[in-house]
Amino acid sequence: MFSKILIANRGEIACRVITTARRMGIKTVAVYSDADARAPFVVMADEAVHIGPSPAAESYLLADKIIAACKQTGAEAVHPGYGFLSERTSFAEALAKEGIAFIGPPVNAIAAMGDKIESKKLAKEAGVNIVPGFVGEIEDTEHAVRISNEIGYPVMMKASAGGGGKGMRLAYNEADVREGFESVKREGLNSFGDDRVFIEKFILNPRHIEIQILGDQHGNILYLNERECSIQRRHQKVVEEAPSPFVTPKMRKAMGEQCVALARAVGYYSAGTVELIVSGADPTGESFYFLEMNTRLQVEHPVTEAITGIDLVEQMIRVAAGEPLAMTQDDIGIDGWAIENRVYAEDPYRGFLPSTGRLVHYSPPLPGWQEDEMVAGKPRRGVARDNGSVRVDDGVYEGGEVSRFYDPMIAKLITWAPTRDEAADLQIEALDNFRIKGLGHNVDFLSAIMQHPRFRSGELTTGFIAEEYPEGFHGAATSDDMKRILAAVCAGNEFTLQSRARRISGQLDGPLQVTSEWMVKLGDERFEVTLGEGHAIVDGVRVEGACNWRPGMVEAEATGKVEGGAEHNLGLIVERIGNQWKVTTRGAAHTALVIPQRLARHESLMLEKVPPDLSKLLICPMPGMLVKLHVAEGETVQPGQPLATVEAMKMENILRAEKEGVIAKINAAEGESLAVDAVILELE
C-alpha cells in the first residue's frame, strides 16, 4: 500500500480523497494555485505545494508541475479526482515514466473511452446498444447540416472530448445547426484542446441513467447498480439519486452486464461510469443506449457509496496498489435510497446566470468532512436523524471566494434514508438550513425540485427543468396554509422586535404596550393577524405554532399547524431589510411588510419605487468575457436575434434581442472582460 499520495485537484474532491486517505493511514499532498492558497483542502493535507497562477491552464492542467510536486514530496501515487487531468492519457503516461502510480484506469482504456467517436465504435463491437448517429469526423458546418438532415431532427451536437455539460448543443432544425456548430467547436477547443464534433439522434423523453463500474487489475469487474441523473440544466447534472425510480431489476441486470462487457473489452480497472440514455417513453426499459464512459470518479459517486456502503475512493487506491477486489457481484446490494443535490453559484431568479464573488456567510446544515458514523449498520458520513443521514461534501469556507477560474459548484448535499420520499424530505429540511450570502445560489431551486409533484412521482426526463420552469424560476410554490403560517411568523417577529425596542426606549413609566393585531402584506396578498399565546388567528383561521427568532438571529426554526391541516417544521433564514422582513424557507424567499392593523388603511398611500426602463440596453448578466459581437452600429435587429456571446465559467452564453430595434451604440469590444450589469450595447 502507498504511504503518501498526491491529489492533483482542488475543492471538494480534494477534501474527499484526503479524508479517505487519512482514514487508511496514508499521508497526502495537495497542490494549489494562487486562488486556492487558503482553501480547506490545502489546510487538510499533510503537505501542500504551490504550482502556479489561478487559471487552470497555468496550474492544475500542467502535468510537469504535478510531477515535480510528486518528486519534491516523495508522493508514490496521484489521485486525479475529476476534471483537469483525470482523463488525459499524456498525464498517466508521464506518471508511469517517472515510476509514479496513477490512481485510475489503464492508459489504453482512457484513450479508448475518452474519444466519444472511437468509444461508440468499441461499444458497438462489445454488443452495447448505441444511439443512431454519425460516427466520424465532421468537416464543416455544411457537412454538419447534411448529416443532421439525414439523421432527422432533433439532433445533439457534441464535442468529441467534451464532458461536464460543455461542448453540447441541441438542434431542432437546420438553423440551429448553423448557429451552434461553430460554438460547439470553440467550446471543445477552449475546454479540452480538441475541436472535433460528432452528431447523434436526440432521444425523446430521455432519462439519463449511469452504471457505476469497479474493476481490479486481476480481471474482476463489477457493476455497483445505477444512478438516475435526469434532472439537468444545459446538460449539467443538478440532482442525482440511487437507485433510479425507473429501473427494474431486469433492466439493472441488462444494463450492468452490457457495461461490464464494455469495460472488459478495454481491459478496464479502477472506478468508472458508463452513461446511458434511456427512452422514458418505452415502459419495457429495453430502449437504453450507450452515451459515453467516464474513466474517472464521478461527482455524484456519494449516492452509490450511500446505498452500497462501499467507499469508492478507497477501492480506487487499493486497486492502484494492486490489491484484488474484496467483494463479488453477489455482494453488491441496494440499501435504502440516496439523493444528491449540487449547490451551485448561480442565480435561478435571474435565469441561472453564473455568480462569482465572496462567501460573506457560508453555513451548511452540518460541517463537511466529519468522521463517519454508523447508520443502519453501515458507515454514512454526516449525522443520523430519524433513521436517515445527511452528508455535505464541500471545499469552500466563509470569507472565501467562488472564483471565475473554476467550476461554480459550492457543495454537494447528500441524504440517505430507507425510502425515496424520506430522502427527499431530508433534503428539504437540510436545504432550509443551508445559509449562503454574498453571491447567487440555487438552494431555493433545489428545494423546489425536491417538493415538486413530478419529482416525487419519479416521472423524470432530461427536459424536467425546461418543462416545469419554462418562464424561469420564481420560487417554490407556496400553499395557502404555508402562507398563513408565514404571515403569523412575520407578525410574531415584528411583535418581538418592537417589544425589545420599547424595553430600551428610556421611558420612565415603563415600556409601551405592543399591539397584537397586525396587517401582513406577504407579496401581493394581505392577511389580518391577531397574535395569541402559542397561536395566531390569520384571516379568521387558527394557526398553532411558535418561532424561536430573536433580534440578531439569522437562522431560526418555526412550527406551524393550520386548523385541520398537517404540522410543518420549518428552518428559516430571517433578514430585516429596511422596514420589511425577508423570510426564506421551503425553496422560496418571502418579503413581508408588517404594520399595526390600525395603520393598515394608510399602507395603500405609501409610494413604491418604479424600476427604470432597461429595455433599450443589452446588459451583461454575469461577469465574463465578450467572445463575439454579432451586430454592428446602425444595424436593425429582430426579436430573438443573437447580439453578443459572453463566456463565463467556461460556458458560452448567447444574448439575444428581446424586441425589434436599431443598434445605436456599442460600448464593449470582443475579448473584453465585462462586469455584471455592464452595458454592452444600446438600441434606439
Side-chain angles (χ1 to χ4, degrees):
M1 181 50 66
F2 309 116
S3 61
K4 184 185 289 187
I5 65 172
L6 181 145
I7 298 95
N9 217 298
R10 61 176 300 279
E12 62 87 15
I13 187 56
C15 294
R16 167 74 188 88
V17 177
I18 291 169
T19 303
T20 286
R22 179 186 296 162
R23 181 170 53 78
M24 295 175 70
I26 300 171
K27 291 190 177 299
T28 56
V29 179
V31 292
Y32 65 93
S33 68
D34 289 346
D36 286 332
R38 296 178 180 84
F41 75 92
V42 176
V43 177
M44 287 178 67
D46 296 295
E47 299 175 67
V49 179
H50 177 252
I51 56 169
S54 300
E58 300 174 41
S59 51
Y60 296 107
L61 287 172
L62 296 179
D64 57 340
K65 290 194 174 184
I66 305 295
I67 291 171
C70 288
K71 291 180 177 179
Q72 177 185 330
T73 58
E76 305 155 276
V78 172
H79 195 300
Y82 43 73
F84 294 147
L85 298 172
S86 62
E87 295 179 283
R88 194 164 293 187
T89 54
S90 58
F91 178 56
E93 289 170 339
L95 289 174
K97 286 180 182 178
E98 299 293 338
I100 302 168
F102 179 69
I103 302 176
V107 171
N108 64 293
I110 299 173
M113 293 294 104
D115 186 320
K116 288 184 171 61
I117 295 172
E118 291 304 314
S119 66
K120 286 185 180 297
K121 294 178 181 177
L122 283 167
K124 189 174 182 179
E125 291 171 5
V128 180
N129 306 337
I130 64 169
V131 180
F134 181 81
V135 182
E137 291 192 38
I138 299 171
E139 299 164 8
D140 52 27
T141 301
E142 293 304 321
H143 189 198
V145 168
R146 291 198 301 274
I147 290 167
S148 301
N149 289 337
E150 290 171 6
I151 295 173
Y153 296 98
V155 298
M156 181 68 80
M157 298 178 287
K158 295 184 182 180
S160 181
K166 298 177 181 68
M168 301 174 72
R169 288 290 188 280
L170 180 59
Y172 287 95
N173 49 49
E174 183 175 317
D176 289 346
V177 176
R178 293 186 182 280
E179 181 181 292
F181 181 74
E182 290 299 326
S183 183
V184 172
K185 289 189 69 173
R186 282 196 303 271
E187 283 190 7
L189 185 62
N190 292 339
S191 295
F192 310 104
D194 186 342
D195 68 352
R196 290 177 303 154
V197 176
F198 71 96
I199 298 176
E200 64 186 13
K201 180 73 174 175
F202 182 72
I203 305 299
L204 295 174
N205 299 325
R207 299 181 79 116
H208 188 121
I209 293 172
E210 57 191 31
I211 300 291
Q212 176 69 57
I213 294 295
L214 182 63
D216 61 24
Q217 299 186 49
H218 305 276
N220 302 306
I221 304 176
L222 314 175
Y223 63 91
L224 275 59
N225 307 314
E226 80 284 350
R227 296 184 287 258
E228 171 99 42
C229 307
S230 295
I231 298 183
Q232 306 176 3
R233 194 187 64 76
R234 291 188 67 175
H235 314 297
Q236 184 78 37
K237 297 164 188 172
V238 178
V239 181
E240 300 103 351
E241 59 182 307
S244 163
F246 182 71
V247 173
T248 64
K250 181 181 177 183
M251 287 173 64
R252 183 175 297 118
K253 187 172 186 294
M255 290 175 175
E257 289 177 351
Q258 282 198 18
C259 294
V260 166
L262 175 61
R264 199 173 297 284
V266 294
Y268 199 89
Y269 57 78
S270 192
T273 296
V274 181
E275 302 203 358
L276 306 168
I277 191 163
V278 182
S279 174
D282 182 2
T284 68
E286 295 177 359
S287 300
F288 63 88
Y289 306 97
F290 171 79
L291 272 180
E292 61 182 334
M293 184 174 188
N294 292 310
T295 54
R296 54 171 167 78
L297 195 66
Q298 291 280 90
V299 176
E300 57 272 21
H301 74 273
V303 293
T304 295
E305 293 182 329
I307 66 164
T308 62
I310 295 170
D311 185 326
L312 287 170
V313 172
E314 177 183 347
Q315 294 303 317
M316 291 180 75
I317 294 172
R318 292 191 181 282
V319 167
E323 294 185 13
L325 294 178
M327 75 281 292
T328 67
Q329 190 65 58
D330 291 338
D331 297 322
I332 308 302
I334 297 178
D335 176 19
W337 213 285
I339 299 175
E340 175 180 293
N341 275 309
R342 300 191 189 187
V343 179
Y344 282 122
E346 62 183 14
D347 192 345
Y349 294 100
R350 297 185 64 196
F352 298 93
L353 296 173
S355 180
T356 58
R358 194 163 300 284
L359 288 162
V360 177
H361 294 295
Y362 176 71
S363 176
L366 75 160
W369 310 113
Q370 297 190 147
E371 292 301 314
D372 288 349
E373 296 187 14
M374 298 303 291
V375 178
K378 296 192 176 182
R380 313 269 182 209
R381 183 168 291 102
V383 293
R385 56 176 81 167
D386 297 329
N387 208 23
S389 66
V390 180
R391 165 178 164 176
V392 175
D393 288 16
D394 61 12
V396 299
Y397 62 100
E398 187 168 279
E401 188 174 2
V402 176
S403 169
R404 66 184 179 87
F405 297 108
Y406 312 120
D407 188 89
M409 189 170 67
I410 297 171
K412 302 185 308 198
L413 178 66
I414 305 103
T415 56
W416 174 91
T419 68
R420 186 171 185 265
D421 279 342
E422 289 173 305
D425 288 341
L426 273 178
Q427 281 283 344
I428 296 166
E429 181 184 340
L431 289 164
D432 271 355
N433 293 287
F434 212 129
R435 186 187 176 212
I436 300 172
K437 190 174 182 181
L439 42 72
H441 58 82
N442 67 339
V443 167
D444 286 357
F445 180 62
L446 297 174
S447 181
I449 292 175
M450 294 295 99
Q451 299 171 64
H452 201 289
R454 181 172 163 191
F455 173 78
R456 290 300 184 123
S457 72
E459 296 296 322
L460 310 178
T461 70
T462 55
F464 176 93
I465 291 176
E467 292 160 9
E468 298 303 324
Y469 302 96
E471 304 300 323
F473 178 71
H474 307 289
T478 307
S479 67
D480 290 340
D481 280 2
M482 184 64 71
K483 290 176 184 176
R484 292 189 181 97
I485 293 169
L486 290 170
V489 165
C490 292
N493 288 356
E494 185 73 23
F495 180 91
T496 300
L497 185 68
Q498 292 202 18
S499 296
R500 179 177 182 273
R502 294 188 184 193
R503 283 199 301 272
I504 58 175
S505 66
Q507 305 242 359
L508 293 176
D509 56 351
L512 297 174
Q513 186 177 358
V514 180
T515 181
S516 293
E517 296 183 343
W518 303 90
M519 189 283 291
V520 179
K521 184 181 179 185
L522 194 66
D524 295 327
E525 296 185 59
R526 290 170 173 79
F527 298 88
E528 290 186 1
V529 180
T530 302
L531 298 173
E533 189 66 36
H535 74 278
I537 304 299
V538 182
D539 285 349
V541 178
R542 187 180 178 90
V543 179
E544 302 281 351
C547 179
N548 69 348
W549 183 85
R550 294 293 179 269
M553 291 174 61
V554 177
E555 298 177 57
E557 295 180 353
T559 59
K561 182 178 185 296
V562 176
E563 190 175 354
E567 183 173 67
H568 297 270
N569 296 303
L570 306 176
L572 310 173
I573 305 295
V574 181
E575 299 173 87
R576 177 76 169 177
I577 303 173
N579 65 340
Q580 294 188 324
W581 295 93
K582 182 182 178 184
V583 178
T584 305
T585 187
R586 291 295 191 268
H590 304 272
T591 301
L593 174 67
V594 184
I595 58 178
Q597 281 189 27
R598 66 178 183 274
L599 301 178
R601 63 189 181 90
H602 301 296
E603 188 269 332
S604 61
L605 303 176
M606 296 173 67
L607 297 177
E608 291 189 16
K609 186 177 180 180
V610 178
D613 180 14
L614 303 177
S615 62
K616 294 185 178 181
L617 305 177
L618 180 65
I619 295 174
C620 187
M622 80 290 278
M625 185 178 73
L626 182 58
V627 175
K628 187 173 181 60
L629 276 169
H630 300 276
V631 292
E633 289 185 5
E635 185 176 337
T636 301
V637 297
Q638 301 297 323
Q641 182 176 336
L643 301 179
T645 299
V646 175
E647 183 187 276
M649 296 287 191
K650 303 179 184 178
M651 299 285 282
E652 291 190 359
N653 303 271
I654 300 175
L655 308 181
R656 303 175 185 273
E658 293 185 1
K659 62 180 182 179
E660 184 179 354
V662 177
I663 306 299
K665 183 181 179 182
I666 293 178
N667 300 319
E670 291 182 358
E672 184 178 337
S673 291
L674 303 174
V676 64
D677 293 334
V679 178
I680 300 173
L681 56 82
E682 302 172 25
L683 294 92
E684 61 182 31

